[in-house]
């Protein structure tokens, strides 16, 4: 029987007429929620335009004002939802499909947001998505929270409203029209159909206006050649998965050549299947990612590359132009011809004649990998137009110059001259995200939003259409260039409404926004005015070296330098040199010795080197540090673009030298003289070992012939150990008693050395997902980098790793072996290269777990090696006992510490932190967790939806970021997971199997063709 007894907590409740009790009964919060503090006054609220991104401003819950009210400074009160948005569940991530198009990098991506904060970039894997995220695209989410961004428009260096700036621009355009002065729009390649349409409308309404497209790193020669042959200013698309023989002459197609994005197709052909894999020849000057992956790499000067191209042209077309012949070039050309339609040739020489021969050769082959229908639209720069504009500005012929997405003061070789000439322009306007070298001297600087705050459309390749959509409300008072164009053409629409009205595809608008990409019909390229291929070959055949050649290139980390203020990219070790926080001259050992240039190691393990002065056409670049690079062609030196920036940069990021000053005539090859300078440069190099040193159980590799004809036991040796005085396979012996791992999930990570190109996208994705701190150059130099995932790069001391093994096996006796191994520390002049991603191996019999005195590190039934950071007392016993050296010790507090002035010491920068992963403090060990937060989220999602986890649904940050397919993660207890099949492959092996740690990460033997 229920009781009707009355319960009460205070005497006041006994008073039935109490107004206080009534108020408390109907009001959950004793004090009124201070909505005025973040909503503003009613008048402002009523006049604001509301989008679905505004929920954070009005009803959000976060700890920084950038998300609440798009203003500066931290919020000290946590404000609960007044009305919780239906699409937001606290603690659950939302994903938005969008596209990055910054003029250099283009990709169809997904953006992970938490409570309205974009925190991570992932690949959009929907059908029709073209390019995937490289290291720079993954890092671009941090550039959103760059505190050095331009926060509002400026006129003559003083803050102004957009209305004031726009009025000044409109008046100047009108004045130019009245006086017959030139108005020039100078933009980067947007690859945006709607932007092109708006620019065309602006030009139509202003007959005195002109549009010039300028790419800081030019592809103009290739565009000119393609336009001459096919009548379209675009680039051919290549699908390397359709090629059995690949010949590259100076093209780093696994790097940034013509926009990159070729690694996925390339890797498909590099994994041996049914006894076959593609064969790759590389002729180049600098050691590149493509050269490192090649079966046969031949270092040669650019002049010799031109001769090689003519030689290949002769073999393929039956011509007989020129007389030079190279044995390896002939071998490559003959195999290319034999492959026919299954062969392809690519070339990175900045020469129209060279690019014409590429088109002629691929046409003669009828190459299936060569696509002239779905052409690349991501490079449109025109060198001739840019040179004419510079002449016009210098002569005072330009009345109004409006720039968007370009920084010519920094990226032009005569940037200082351009800056001086800009004073002759009546009005110079720069639309820029930062007050960079150009925006800082322009009459008007207009703050533009980050792509994660913007609407837009992009056609990366012909036949595809993608949307850029905002994932957060603009943090600052910014204006899109397209909205400005609408204003200047008298269109009152917003850019969003303009975009929506322009869409007429098969998909609905909502479906397009959801998917992020749509496939449209590709149109075959037409015919141009024609080209004289034999004439082009005759010109190239006369090429000769004129002294030392400087070959300019872009680094995998920094690209063209747009994101130079991004600490993730600055600390990212270059895949080839393994150096971070620098650009440097790369030189061969022979040329270095002749010039008296040296590299040496110091007591703390750091790498030091000489300085040089470079001189190109009388122009000097001083204090350029030098790294002696194995594989650099004799007679050439290399230098990366994108460094040496000063404006709108934190002091720590103002590193390197500006190689654009030597980028004469937009050619990546220059005749140079070098002179050694006094002083020594300190590099932050994370891997000083240069050889495999015969350790065959670290990197295992074989040839395709042996792989096809020999038993696996001969090329994938299983180490033997002694058990009860009998020799048995190490994999059959356990150090400890094992438990049943067949129950529940058991995670494994597969890494295929054949597919890994060393691109580093996984490294940056790991940074973003796991809140890995940036420690800076001086700490990296002390071997205190915090990367949870490293990509080891190995050189051979002979011309091949097989040669290394023969050298090691040929040694006799202890002293001879020691002497031999010491000699192997010197890499070959043209070494073979192997990349190997290494993270915590999550050993089932983990040495670290047995030595931890406080049980901070332990093993789970799911195969993950756990770290309880709150238990860790920093003894570092685990690091000492780890044979893979994958544990990192927090020497300092990197979060909120003025000594480490990167994103974790910045109120805005901390917005990128993943709330699912705690930020570690000083004195603890940390390492790869196999993204336990991701695996648990997958399990909970399936549980909430009342289903089992799907095949291949489990992912880690690195496996999700890997576009080449080198990394595959999954549950080996699920027989449908791909990782289960890979774990049983005959190429599978574990690192250091003989020590019996039983890792849950396994590798696949590298096979060379």
């Amino acid at each position: 029987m229920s009781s009707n007894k009355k319960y009460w907590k205070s005497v006041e409740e006994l008073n039935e007429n109490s107004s206080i009790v009534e108020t408390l009964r109907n009001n959950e919060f004793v004090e009124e929620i201070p909505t005025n503090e973040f909503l503003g006054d009613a008048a402002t609220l009523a006049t604001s335009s509301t989008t679905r991104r505004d929920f954070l401003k009005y009803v959000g819950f976060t700890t920084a004002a950038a998300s609440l009210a798009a203003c500066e400074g931290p919020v000290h009160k946590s404000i609960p939802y007044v009305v919780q948005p239906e699409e937001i569940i606290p603690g659950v991530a939302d994903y938005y499909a969008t596209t990055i198009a910054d003029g250099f990098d283009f990709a169809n991506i997904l953006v992970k947001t938490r409570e309205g904060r974009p925190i991570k970039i992932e690949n959009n894997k929907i059908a029709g998505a073209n390019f995937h995220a490289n290291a720079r695209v993954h890092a671009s989410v941090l550039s959103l929270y760059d505190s050095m961004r331009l926060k509002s428009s400026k006129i003559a260096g003083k803050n102004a409203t957009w209305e004031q700036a726009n009025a000044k621009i409109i008046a100047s355009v009108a004045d130019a029209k009245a006086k017959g002065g030139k108005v020039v729009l100078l933009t980067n390649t947007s690859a945006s159909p709607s932007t092109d349409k708006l620019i065309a409308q602006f030009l139509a309404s202003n007959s005195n206006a002109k549009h010039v497209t300028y790419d800081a790193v030019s592809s103009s020669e290739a565009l000119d050649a393609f336009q001459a042959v096919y009548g379209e200013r675009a680039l051919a698309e290549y699908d390397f998965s359709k090629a059995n023989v690949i010949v590259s002459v100076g093209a780093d197609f696994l790097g940034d050549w013509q926009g990159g994005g070729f690694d996925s197709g390339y890797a498909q052909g590099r994994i041996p299947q049914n006894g076959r894999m593609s064969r790759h020849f590389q002729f180049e000057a600098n050691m590149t990612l493509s050269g490192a992956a090649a079966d046969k790499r031949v270092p040669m000067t650019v002049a010799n590359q031109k001769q090689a191209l003519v030689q290949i042209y002769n073999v393929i077309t039956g011509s007989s132009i020129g007389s030079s012949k190279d044995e390896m070039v002939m071998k490559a050309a003959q195999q290319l011809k034999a492959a026919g339609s299954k062969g392809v040739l690519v070339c990175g020489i900045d020469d129209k004649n060279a690019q014409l021969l590429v088109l002629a050769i691929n046409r003669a082959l009828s190459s299936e990998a060569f696509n002239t229908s779905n052409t690349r639209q991501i490079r449109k720069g025109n060198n001739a137009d840019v040179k004419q504009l510079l002449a016009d500005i210098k002569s005072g012929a330009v009345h109004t110059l409006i720039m968007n997405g370009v920084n010519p003061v920094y990226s032009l070789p005569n940037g200082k001259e351009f800056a001086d000439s800009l004073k002759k322009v009546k009005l110079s306007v720069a639309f820029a995200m930062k007050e960079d070298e150009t925006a800082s001297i322009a009459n008007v600087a207009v703050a533009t939003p980050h792509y994660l705050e913007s609407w837009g459309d992009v056609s990366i390749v012909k036949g595809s259409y993608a949307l850029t959509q905002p994932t957060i409300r603009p943090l600052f008072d910014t204006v899109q260039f397209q909205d400005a164009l609408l204003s200047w053409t008298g269109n009152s629409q917003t850019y969003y409404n303009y975009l929506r009205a322009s869409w007429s595809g098969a998909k609905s608008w909502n479906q397009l926004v959801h998917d992020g990409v749509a496939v449209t019909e590709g149109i075959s390229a037409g015919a141009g005015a024609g080209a004289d291929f034999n004439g082009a070959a005759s010109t190239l055949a006369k090429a000769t070296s004129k002294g030392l050649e400087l070959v300019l290139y872009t680094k995998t980390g920094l690209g063209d330098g747009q994101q130079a203020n991004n600490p993730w990219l600055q600390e990212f070790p270059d895949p080839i040199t393994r150096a971070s926080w620098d650009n440097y001259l790369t030189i061969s050992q022979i040329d270095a010795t002749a010039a008296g240039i040296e590299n040496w190691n110091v007591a703390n393990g750091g790498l030091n080197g000489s300085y040089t002065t470079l001189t190109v056409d009388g122009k000097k670049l001083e204090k350029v540090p030098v790294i002696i690079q194995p594989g650099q062609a004799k007679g050439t030196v290399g230098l990366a673009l994108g460094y040496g920036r000063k404006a709108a940069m934190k002091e720590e990021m103002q590193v390197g030298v500006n190689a654009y000053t030597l980028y004469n005539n937009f050619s990546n090859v220059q005749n140079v003289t070098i002179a050694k300078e006094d002083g020594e440069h300190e590099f932050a190099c994370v891997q000083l070992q240069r050889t495999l040193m015969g350790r065959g159980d670290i990197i295992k590799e074989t040839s395709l012939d042996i792989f096809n004809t020999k038993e696996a036991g001969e090329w994938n040796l299983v180490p033997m150990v002694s058990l009860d005085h009998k020799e048995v396979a190490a994999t059959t012996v356990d150090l400890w008693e094992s438990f049943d791992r067949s129950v529940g999930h058991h995670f494994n990570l597969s890494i295929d050395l054949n597919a890994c190109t060393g691109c580093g996208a996984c490294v940056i994705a790991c940074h973003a997902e796991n809140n890995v701190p940036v420690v800076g150059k001086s700490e990296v130099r002390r071997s205190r980098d915090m990367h949870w995932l490293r990509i080891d790069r190995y050189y051979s001391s002979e011309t091949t790793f097989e040669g290394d093994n023969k050298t090691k096996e040929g040694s006799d006796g202890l002293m001879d072996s020691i002497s031999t191994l010491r000699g192997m520390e010197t890499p070959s002049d043209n070494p073979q290269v192997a990349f190997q991603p290494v993270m915590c191996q999550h050993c089932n019999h983990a040495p670290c777990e047995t030595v931890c005195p406080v049980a901070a590190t332990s093993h789970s039934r799911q195969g993950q090696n756990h770290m309880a950071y709150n238990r860790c007392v920093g003894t570092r016993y685990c690091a000492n006992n780890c044979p893979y050296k994958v544990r990192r010790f927090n020497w300092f507090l990197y979060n909120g510490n003025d000594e480490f002035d990167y994103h974790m010491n910045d109120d805005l920068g901390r917005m990128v932190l993943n709330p699912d992963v705690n930020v570690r403090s000083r004195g603890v060990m940390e390492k790869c967790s196999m993204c336990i937060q991701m695996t648990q989220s997958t399990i909970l999602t399936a549980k909430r939806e009342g289903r089992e986890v799907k095949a291949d649904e489990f992912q880690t940050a690195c496996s999700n970021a890997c576009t080449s397919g080198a990394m595959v993660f999954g549950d080996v207890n699920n027989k449908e997971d791909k990782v289960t099949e890979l774990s049983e492959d005959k190429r599978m092996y574990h690192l250091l199997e003989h020590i019996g740690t039983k890792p849950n990460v396994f590798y696949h033997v590298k096979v060379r063709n």
Side-chain angles (χ1 to χ4, degrees):
M1 181 176 176
S2 63
S3 170
N4 59 3
K5 182 177 179 181
K6 184 173 183 177
Y7 293 90
W8 48 274
K9 291 189 292 184
S10 70
V11 177
E12 185 67 28
E13 290 182 53
L14 298 176
N15 181 359
E16 295 182 358
N17 298 319
S18 172
S19 60
I20 296 173
V21 171
E22 186 65 21
T23 300
L24 293 174
R25 185 180 291 133
N26 295 317
N27 189 355
E28 181 183 354
F29 306 102
V30 177
E31 293 184 12
E32 185 178 353
I33 298 173
T35 55
N36 286 337
E37 292 184 20
F38 67 99
L39 292 183
D41 58 89
T44 303
L45 188 59
T47 57
S48 66
S49 58
T50 306
T51 70
R52 66 191 176 99
R53 317 291 177 195
D54 286 355
F55 71 87
L56 283 174
K57 184 172 179 182
Y58 304 130
V59 294
F61 178 100
T62 186
T63 56
S67 288
L68 276 174
C71 61
E72 299 177 66
V75 169
H76 300 293
K77 293 183 180 180
S78 292
I79 304 166
Y81 288 116
V82 180
V83 179
Q84 181 173 319
E86 291 181 6
E87 67 268 34
I88 295 299
I89 301 173
V92 177
D94 283 314
Y95 291 83
Y96 296 101
T98 190
T99 303
I100 180 174
D102 66 6
F104 191 74
D105 289 311
F106 296 78
N108 300 129
I109 57 177
L110 298 178
V111 182
K112 178 183 179 181
T113 66
R114 280 296 304 270
E115 287 76 56
R117 294 180 295 114
I119 62 170
K120 189 168 182 285
I121 304 299
E122 295 186 0
N123 290 313
N124 189 346
K125 299 177 182 178
I126 195 170
N130 296 108
F131 288 27
H132 292 143
N134 58 25
R136 294 184 298 272
V137 174
H138 279 287
S140 64
V141 66
L142 182 56
S143 295
L144 167 68
Y145 303 114
D146 187 346
S147 59
M148 304 294 286
R149 281 179 57 187
L150 191 56
K151 297 174 177 63
S152 68
S153 298
K154 290 191 173 185
I155 298 175
K158 296 181 180 178
N159 290 338
T161 64
W162 160 242
E163 288 73 22
Q164 291 171 323
N166 196 30
K168 198 170 184 65
I169 296 167
I170 291 172
S172 182
V173 171
D175 184 53
K177 195 171 185 179
K179 295 177 179 177
K182 286 186 181 178
V183 175
V184 180
L185 300 180
L186 179 64
T187 73
N188 60 5
T189 300
S190 66
S192 167
S194 65
T195 304
D196 290 344
K197 188 177 175 183
L198 286 170
I199 289 174
Q201 291 172 358
F202 177 80
L203 298 181
S205 60
N206 295 277
S207 57
N208 59 324
K210 183 182 179 182
H211 177 219
V212 176
T213 306
Y214 164 54
D215 295 327
V217 181
S218 176
S219 295
S220 186
E221 303 295 340
L223 291 165
D224 292 343
F226 194 87
Q227 188 172 17
V229 177
Y230 293 101
E232 178 189 3
R233 194 164 185 79
L235 297 172
E237 175 67 307
Y238 295 90
D239 184 354
F240 290 99
S241 68
K242 296 179 180 178
N244 291 339
V245 176
I246 301 165
V247 178
S248 171
V249 181
D252 183 16
F253 58 88
L254 295 180
D256 295 330
W257 176 75
Q258 295 192 359
F262 298 108
D263 49 347
S264 178
Y266 175 80
Q268 289 178 43
R270 298 298 291 168
I271 297 173
Q273 294 177 335
N274 302 319
R276 298 177 62 86
M277 61 182 284
S278 63
R279 183 156 170 76
H280 174 192
F281 293 89
Q282 185 82 13
F283 303 94
E284 63 182 11
N286 297 340
M287 173 68 84
T288 66
L289 290 180
S290 302
D295 295 303
K296 186 62 182 177
R297 177 184 181 272
V298 180
M300 56 172 56
T301 66
V302 177
N304 288 341
Q305 289 172 37
K306 292 178 179 179
Q307 298 277 1
L309 200 57
V310 174
Q311 194 174 332
I312 295 169
Y313 174 77
N314 287 339
V315 172
I316 301 300
T317 64
S319 303
S320 55
I321 299 166
S323 57
S324 67
K325 285 191 177 180
D326 180 278
E327 182 182 351
M328 188 53 64
V329 174
M330 283 298 295
K331 184 177 180 181
Q334 288 161 358
Q335 291 192 22
L336 185 63
K337 185 174 183 178
S341 63
K342 292 293 183 181
V344 68
L345 179 136
V346 292
C347 177
I349 301 172
D350 281 347
D351 186 299
K352 183 179 177 181
N353 292 319
Q355 297 302 325
L356 284 172
L357 290 198
V358 173
L359 303 178
I361 290 168
N362 285 317
R363 285 174 64 173
L365 291 169
S366 299
S367 173
E368 294 176 20
F370 177 65
N371 186 338
T372 58
S373 297
N374 302 97
T375 51
R376 291 193 166 203
Q377 304 295 309
I378 57 176
R379 297 289 185 268
K380 296 287 186 181
N382 192 313
N383 291 349
D385 287 353
V386 174
K387 289 175 183 175
Q388 184 59 51
L389 172 63
L390 298 179
D392 289 345
I393 292 173
K394 194 172 181 180
S395 67
V398 177
H399 181 285
T400 303
L401 177 65
I402 301 173
M403 298 169 281
N404 177 59
V406 296
N407 185 9
V409 173
Y410 164 69
S411 59
L412 283 174
N414 52 346
K416 189 176 185 305
E417 184 183 343
F418 176 84
D420 294 337
S421 300
L422 210 57
K423 297 170 185 175
K424 299 178 181 179
V425 176
K426 291 288 195 313
L427 185 73
S428 56
V429 182
F431 283 76
M433 260 185 61
K434 304 182 72 174
E435 198 170 6
D436 55 32
E437 289 80 356
T438 302
S440 60
I441 65 168
N443 302 133
V444 177
V446 180
T448 57
H450 190 269
Y451 79 93
L452 292 175
E453 305 167 310
S454 309
W455 282 103
D457 63 347
V458 186
S459 178
I460 295 178
V461 296
K462 193 191 291 184
S464 79
Y465 182 84
L467 276 185
T468 296
Q469 65 166 318
T471 58
I472 188 173
R473 187 172 177 82
L475 303 180
F476 307 114
D477 183 14
T478 54
V479 176
Q480 280 192 244
F481 180 60
Q482 292 83 355
D483 279 312
L485 285 169
L486 284 165
S487 169
W488 301 335
T489 54
N491 193 327
S492 60
Q493 279 183 299
T494 64
Y495 183 43
Y496 166 78
N497 289 333
Y498 181 85
L499 267 181
R500 184 164 186 170
S502 300
W503 172 244
S504 59
K507 286 184 180 180
S508 68
W509 173 257
N510 286 343
Q511 189 65 43
L512 177 63
V513 172
H514 174 272
D515 295 348
V517 65
V519 178
T520 58
E521 224 173 287
I523 304 171
S524 297
D532 179 7
F533 297 123
N534 285 342
S538 297
T539 302
L540 289 175
K542 300 171 185 173
T544 55
S545 295
K546 300 175 183 176
L548 196 62
E549 293 179 350
L550 169 65
V551 182
L552 300 169
Y553 69 101
T554 55
K555 269 195 180 187
T556 307
L558 225 53
D560 65 348
Q562 289 186 56
Q563 295 191 72
N565 204 44
N566 190 313
W568 285 349
L569 294 177
Q570 288 282 9
E571 192 148 297
F572 172 68
D574 180 75
I576 300 296
T577 64
R578 307 292 287 134
S580 59
W581 293 99
D582 257 319
N583 67 337
Y584 32 76
L585 195 73
T586 56
I587 190 171
S588 68
Q589 182 65 64
I590 294 173
D591 290 332
T593 302
I597 292 168
E598 297 177 294
N599 283 160
W600 62 94
N601 301 126
V602 291
N604 68 354
L607 177 70
N608 288 12
S610 306
Y611 282 113
T612 60
T613 294
L614 307 185
T615 305
V616 175
D617 286 342
K619 188 182 297 182
K620 292 189 176 182
L621 189 60
E622 299 177 335
K623 284 289 181 184
V624 182
V626 187
I627 280 184
I628 298 173
Q629 175 62 57
Q632 183 78 33
K634 181 185 176 183
T636 69
V637 291
L639 183 62
L641 301 163
Y643 286 80
R645 293 191 58 185
K646 304 294 182 186
M649 298 273 293
K650 286 192 173 183
E651 186 178 351
E652 291 81 359
M653 257 70 84
Q654 296 178 23
V655 296
V657 295
N658 184 4
Y660 280 114
T661 59
L662 305 180
Y663 192 37
N664 294 343
N665 295 314
F666 307 105
S667 174
N668 64 350
V669 182
Q670 304 289 332
N671 293 319
V672 66
T673 58
I674 62 173
K676 182 182 176 182
E677 282 190 46
D678 292 334
E680 61 185 72
H681 184 78
E682 297 183 346
F683 293 101
C685 186
V686 298
Q687 181 170 312
L688 300 181
Q689 66 195 70
R690 300 286 177 101
T691 67
L692 175 63
M693 290 186 66
R695 291 175 294 174
D697 53 355
I698 297 288
I699 292 280
K700 289 187 179 183
E701 72 164 54
T702 188
S703 69
L704 185 61
D705 288 340
I706 294 174
F707 175 76
N708 287 334
T709 58
K710 305 287 186 181
E711 292 295 324
E714 294 191 42
W715 48 263
N716 188 7
L717 296 175
V718 176
M720 309 298 284
V721 295
S722 177
L723 178 66
D724 296 331
H725 307 290
K726 294 179 182 178
E727 197 174 55
V728 299
T731 52
T732 64
V733 180
D734 284 339
L735 295 178
W736 297 282
E737 196 172 313
S738 295
F739 56 83
D740 182 12
R741 298 191 181 94
S742 64
V743 179
H745 303 294
H746 192 84
F747 300 121
N748 272 203
L749 177 63
S750 168
I751 302 175
D752 195 327
L753 299 182
N754 261 52
C756 180
T757 63
C759 70
C762 54
V763 176
I764 303 297
C766 178
H767 261 289
E769 176 65 33
N770 295 297
N771 300 334
V772 177
V774 172
V775 301
K777 181 176 180 178
S778 62
E779 292 301 298
V780 171
R781 184 172 163 79
R782 292 181 174 90
S783 303
R784 293 176 179 176
D785 63 290
M786 295 300 294
H787 296 103
W788 283 13
L789 163 61
R790 70 176 192 262
I791 302 179
D792 288 339
R793 180 267 300 124
Y794 291 99
Y795 291 142
S796 63
S797 66
E798 303 293 331
T799 54
T800 64
F801 283 108
E802 183 59 31
D804 278 14
N805 291 333
K806 289 178 180 177
T807 300
K808 183 191 73 169
E809 291 163 4
S811 59
D812 183 23
L814 177 62
M815 296 311 294
D816 187 32
S817 295
I818 293 173
S819 176
T820 298
L821 289 175
R822 281 179 176 166
M824 290 175 69
E825 291 183 10
T826 302
S828 164
D829 288 337
N830 183 27
Q832 277 192 339
V833 185
F835 294 112
Q836 184 175 58
V838 180
M839 66 293 290
C840 174
Q841 301 292 291
H842 295 272
C843 310
N844 287 316
H845 292 169
C848 57
E849 295 169 10
T850 58
V851 296
C852 182
V854 292
T857 184
S858 59
H859 210 70
S860 76
R861 290 194 66 90
Q862 295 180 343
Q864 290 153 312
N865 177 257
H866 291 182
M867 273 300 303
Y869 296 121
N870 282 357
R871 299 192 64 145
C872 180
V873 294
T875 62
R876 290 177 281 168
Y877 296 161
C878 56
N880 291 336
N881 218 37
C882 174
Y884 308 104
K885 301 307 170 193
V886 290
R887 289 174 166 263
R888 301 289 177 262
F889 181 67
N890 283 77
W891 289 91
F892 299 98
L893 176 68
Y894 300 110
N895 177 45
N897 186 339
D898 289 345
E899 292 297 316
F900 302 92
D901 192 16
Y902 309 111
H903 66 289
M904 284 190 176
N905 186 50
D906 188 295
D907 288 334
L908 196 59
R910 278 195 290 264
M911 296 288 287
V912 83
L913 295 178
N914 183 359
D916 292 332
V917 181
N918 65 323
V919 177
R920 285 75 63 188
S921 189
R922 180 184 182 185
V924 304
M925 296 297 304
E926 62 179 76
K927 63 166 191 69
C928 160
S929 68
M930 212 175 259
C931 291
I932 189 170
Q933 70 281 0
M934 293 180 69
T935 56
Q936 291 305 302
S937 175
T938 302
I939 293 169
L940 292 173
T941 298
K943 184 177 181 180
R944 188 170 60 246
E945 295 175 0
R947 60 174 177 82
E948 292 184 352
V949 177
K950 299 172 187 173
D952 298 321
E953 188 175 358
F954 286 113
Q955 291 288 349
T956 58
C958 56
S959 68
N960 215 16
C962 184
T963 57
S964 67
M967 291 184 175
V968 178
F969 180 77
D971 177 7
V972 289
N973 287 342
N974 183 345
K975 300 306 177 186
E976 295 181 6
D977 266 23
K978 186 178 179 183
V979 76
T980 307
E981 177 188 345
L982 292 170
S983 69
E984 298 165 356
D985 190 277
K986 63 180 181 179
R987 288 198 294 133
M988 188 276 287
Y989 75 98
H990 295 100
L991 289 190
L992 305 178
E993 282 178 316
H994 60 276
I995 61 178
T997 55
K998 309 284 185 183
N1000 283 311
V1001 177
F1002 59 85
Y1003 295 81
H1004 283 76
V1005 174
K1006 187 174 182 69
V1007 180
R1008 295 189 191 269
N1009 189 0

